[in-house]
Amino acid sequence: MSHRTIHLFRKGLRLHDNPTLLGALASSSELFPVYVLDRTFLEGAMGLGPPRWRFILQSLEDLDARLRALGSRLYVLRGSTTALLHDLVTRWGVTQISYDTEVEPYYTCMEREIQALAQERGLQTYTRVSHTLYDVRRIVKANGGSPPLTYKKFLHVLSVLGEPEEPVRDVSAEDFLRCSPPVEPHLEQTYSVPSPADLGLELETEVLWPGGETHALQRLHKHFQSQGWVSNVSKARTVPNSLLPSTTGLSPYLSLGCLSVRTFYHRLSSVCAQAKNHSLPPVSLQGQVLWREFFYTVASATPNFTKMQGNPICLQIDWYHDPEALEKWRTAQTGFPWIDAIMTQLREEGWIHHLARHAVACFLTRGDLWISWEEGMKVFEELLLDADYSVNAGNWMWLSASAFFHKYTRIFCPVRFGRRTDPQGQYVRKYLPVLKNFPSKYIYEPWKAPEDVQLSAGCIIGKDYPRPMVCHTEASQRNLGLMRQVRTEQQNTAELTRDVADDPMEAELKHELQEEELLEGAEQHSTSKRFSSDADHKSRPCSWTPETLQLSREVM
């Protein structure tokens, strides 16, 4: 049967390795590539902030240009997906709707609505998996009907299933030869990609990651020109406070589907097959792709995966409710330069290194502030270009030691870790220019600088830059006790996601970042007269008052 088909883009904004689009084209005489810009849905379900909006709009512009080069175009509509599909089915005489299969609850809900529409109107639907390496339902089925909850178990299931399918061929102009566009007046104005200004978005930040398949493939080609780097990259050896990404920087494109994960994975496999020596999972690039697949699999079959309550694999923790402390963390006002520099880079660029993510997540949750991982997840969801439902929630549970991660005594020090990898503080100087004139000796602890040094640097601590909002040593030790108690009381839940072997993600970190180094505070100030003992520990995680003080998982 030759259909008139609407191909509904959601993620998968590409023409390479797009099996759903290829299959729909093969069965259609007319095919209309459609993207529904449902702002209420996207900002509500996915928490999009302005930088991510810009990335999506750029990706749509690129997809439209690539489709036009093949004799087609992209039809961008604004409104409710279901309501618009009802209208388009009638207006265009549609007989089939195609779309990629997704795992997120809001997409599966949308798919049920599409199926209901199809049944009501007598339409066909066509869907394939293309955003993950495997159909995650196969992984769950192969594991006996439940998701494997440890990476080790997950890899065992994959060893039974075998390698993921190879990418399909690129969509070509020949595929669109039979597909004529609809004839409607004011076509360009009606279905064009809106600009950020059209959506009322104000964006002043520099574009370091232009959206779209074209840029994704260019970046992929650039990295694979250096096959030695690709085969030897190790997640733990990349630099957390690098001024430019020391990883691939492909995660935003994988998140939105501008780059096929199968294409990336099989290119990696080809390079590693030719290399005599290469890094191994879990810290290799292939290992990182599989971590993405692991989180997708667990998320697909775990109720309330992005929440603590009602989530069967997540520890139920009585986190502090402290909007003021949360806002200081979110707006880079913690008083710890490394943490604040990371949060500034996140807001300005929409990307931070995976170890930088570890640092600020640990600081917010189990390390210093004892604030729920859900709050941090929402901030990352808004600001990260590579924010992803499954990976974002999975990593936040991991980093808060609520699930998956069990070496909870390893706490990132908000001073030592940054200073260890960047002694001169160039990263801090770039993202916190207010501190740029401090000597390297004080750049990570500016509150320790004598008054004359602060005056010379043009920055008075407590006036031009905040004092530390907590005493790291006291807060981390107190929180360590709280976490130990939680895990003892909820041991059965903690054991659900615990590997019998050591946590594989930490294999390389164990050598690089010794436990005692991570736990060590800025200095041992717990007995100093600078700290008051009568502060409210729950509302203010540090037992001192600011007036008395003179003084941080990407897929890849």
Side-chain angles (χ1 to χ4, degrees):
M1 181 176 179
S2 189
H3 287 289
R4 292 172 63 87
T5 299
I6 286 177
H7 177 73
L8 183 63
F9 283 99
R10 296 182 296 183
K11 291 182 282 187
L13 303 182
R14 64 179 187 272
L15 300 184
H16 73 280
D17 188 32
N18 194 324
T20 311
L21 180 56
L22 269 182
L25 283 164
S27 65
S28 304
S29 59
E30 294 183 79
L31 183 138
F32 311 120
V34 168
Y35 184 90
V36 178
L37 203 159
D38 185 345
R39 190 164 186 178
T40 301
F41 165 75
L42 290 171
E43 292 183 347
M46 301 174 67
L48 295 187
R52 289 185 67 198
W53 266 116
R54 177 172 59 189
F55 189 82
I56 287 177
L57 295 178
Q58 290 171 339
S59 299
L60 294 176
E61 289 176 346
D62 182 70
L63 179 60
D64 183 43
R66 294 176 75 89
L67 283 167
R68 288 176 186 270
L70 301 182
S72 183
R73 61 155 299 164
L74 183 66
Y75 304 94
V76 179
L77 299 95
R78 299 192 222 178
S80 161
T81 299
T82 306
L84 286 168
L85 287 178
H86 272 274
D87 175 62
L88 293 177
V89 164
T90 301
R91 191 193 313 173
W92 290 345
V94 168
T95 62
Q96 178 174 259
I97 301 174
S98 60
Y99 52 88
D100 287 346
T101 300
E102 305 289 357
V103 304
E104 291 89 337
Y106 42 80
Y107 279 136
T108 55
C109 179
M110 182 188 295
E111 289 166 17
R112 287 194 294 270
E113 294 175 352
I114 294 173
Q115 292 288 347
L117 169 63
Q119 186 173 4
E120 175 189 331
R121 299 290 187 91
L123 309 176
Q124 297 292 315
T125 59
Y126 182 85
T127 181
R128 291 289 182 271
V129 173
S130 71
H131 195 62
T132 50
L133 290 172
Y134 299 82
D135 182 341
V136 295
R137 293 170 297 190
R138 285 186 63 215
I139 300 175
V140 172
K141 182 179 179 180
N143 194 53
S146 62
L149 296 180
T150 69
Y151 190 68
K152 183 177 180 180
K153 179 65 174 175
F154 173 75
L155 293 181
H156 173 72
V157 174
L158 294 194
S159 71
V160 175
L161 294 179
E163 284 289 291
E165 292 181 5
E166 293 281 344
V168 299
R169 66 172 177 82
D170 293 357
V171 176
S172 67
E174 287 72 21
D175 294 312
F176 282 100
L177 284 178
R178 297 174 299 162
C179 302
S180 56
V183 179
E184 289 192 17
H186 312 296
L187 189 62
E188 289 299 322
Q189 294 81 357
T190 304
Y191 301 117
S192 62
V193 179
S195 67
D198 292 334
L199 301 181
L201 301 174
E202 296 183 4
L203 290 155
E204 300 177 356
T205 56
E206 181 183 0
V207 179
L208 296 180
W209 279 268
E213 179 182 19
T214 299
H215 290 285
L217 294 176
Q218 288 173 350
R219 187 179 288 267
L220 181 71
H221 177 71
K222 176 183 177 182
H223 281 294
F224 276 92
Q225 284 182 320
S226 176
Q227 293 197 1
W229 182 88
V230 170
S231 60
N232 289 302
V233 67
S234 172
K235 190 168 189 267
R237 296 191 195 115
T238 53
V239 184
N241 40 15
S242 53
L243 298 182
L244 292 173
S246 54
T247 50
T248 66
L250 290 171
S251 54
Y253 303 98
L254 289 166
S255 173
L256 197 56
C258 299
L259 175 64
S260 158
V261 68
R262 294 192 306 188
T263 296
F264 182 47
Y265 179 87
H266 283 289
R267 288 284 299 274
L268 285 173
S269 297
S270 176
V271 169
C272 290
Q274 299 174 41
K276 292 183 178 179
N277 299 298
H278 56 81
S279 53
L280 299 171
V283 297
S284 66
L285 288 176
Q286 283 175 299
Q288 297 313 302
V289 175
L290 294 178
W291 272 107
R292 175 185 187 269
E293 197 80 2
F294 170 69
F295 283 135
Y296 264 86
T297 304
V298 179
S300 73
T302 302
N304 302 303
F305 189 71
T306 58
K307 298 179 175 62
M308 179 182 75
Q309 292 187 353
N311 184 338
I313 68 172
C314 182
L315 293 175
Q316 304 297 298
I317 298 174
D318 185 18
W319 300 106
Y320 296 160
H321 177 69
D322 192 339
E324 181 182 353
L326 174 62
E327 183 66 8
K328 287 181 179 179
W329 175 83
R330 189 181 71 84
T331 58
Q333 295 293 307
T334 69
F336 289 96
W338 190 44
I339 299 297
D340 291 340
I342 293 169
M343 295 304 292
T344 301
Q345 183 187 20
L346 172 61
R347 182 163 297 279
E348 291 182 356
E349 299 177 6
W351 180 91
I352 48 178
H353 189 278
H354 66 272
L355 287 180
R357 301 179 195 206
H358 291 195
V360 295
C362 183
F363 185 90
L364 178 71
T365 58
R366 63 187 174 86
D368 293 80
L369 302 186
W370 200 253
I371 291 175
S372 173
W373 61 269
E374 291 182 57
E375 300 298 336
M377 179 190 68
K378 292 172 187 175
V379 173
F380 274 25
E381 188 175 57
E382 175 191 357
L383 299 178
L384 276 175
L385 294 180
D386 60 11
D388 184 297
Y389 170 90
S390 304
V391 179
N392 194 22
N395 274 316
W396 272 98
M397 279 188 276
W398 182 294
L399 294 166
S400 64
S402 295
F404 306 113
F405 179 69
H406 301 278
K407 301 294 184 181
Y408 64 93
T409 57
R410 294 177 184 165
I411 297 174
F412 286 83
C413 174
V415 173
R416 282 187 66 95
F417 192 18
R419 184 165 59 194
R420 184 177 182 275
T421 54
D422 180 20
Q424 302 306 311
Q426 296 304 315
Y427 179 81
V428 170
R429 298 179 201 280
K430 176 178 179 179
Y431 292 105
L432 297 180
V434 68
L435 300 176
K436 67 180 180 181
N437 294 324
F438 271 85
S440 298
K441 177 182 178 181
Y442 299 112
I443 192 69
Y444 289 100
E445 301 170 287
W447 62 89
K448 282 186 165 185
E451 184 177 357
D452 62 325
V453 173
Q454 295 184 31
L455 287 170
S456 177
C459 175
I460 304 301
I461 303 304
K463 176 184 175 183
D464 304 307
Y465 179 73
R467 299 181 177 95
M469 63 184 294
V470 295
C471 166
H472 171 69
T473 303
E474 292 184 0
S476 61
Q477 290 296 334
R478 182 182 64 252
N479 294 346
L480 191 60
L482 292 174
M483 182 60 73
R484 184 178 290 112
Q485 180 180 351
V486 167
R487 299 183 71 86
T488 299
E489 294 172 350
Q490 302 178 45
Q491 184 176 0
N492 290 340
T493 301
E495 292 297 321
L496 288 174
T497 58
R498 185 182 188 121
D499 265 324
V500 292
D502 193 16
D503 293 285
M505 277 282 283
E506 297 299 304
E508 291 287 338
L509 282 176
K510 284 178 67 177
H511 176 71
E512 293 291 327
L513 304 165
Q514 295 298 324
E515 181 174 330
E516 62 270 20
E517 204 168 55
L518 296 177
L519 278 170
E520 185 175 346
E523 288 294 337
Q524 299 297 323
H525 284 314
S526 57
T527 59
S528 171
K529 294 181 180 179
R530 293 173 178 165
F531 301 97
S532 168
S533 61
D534 59 357
D536 178 0
H537 282 201
K538 187 159 187 174
S539 62
R540 185 182 299 281
C542 183
S543 59
W544 48 262
T545 57
E547 292 77 11
T548 63
L549 181 64
Q550 304 301 315
L551 319 170
S552 168
R553 191 157 293 242
E554 158 191 36
V555 182
M556 284 147 292

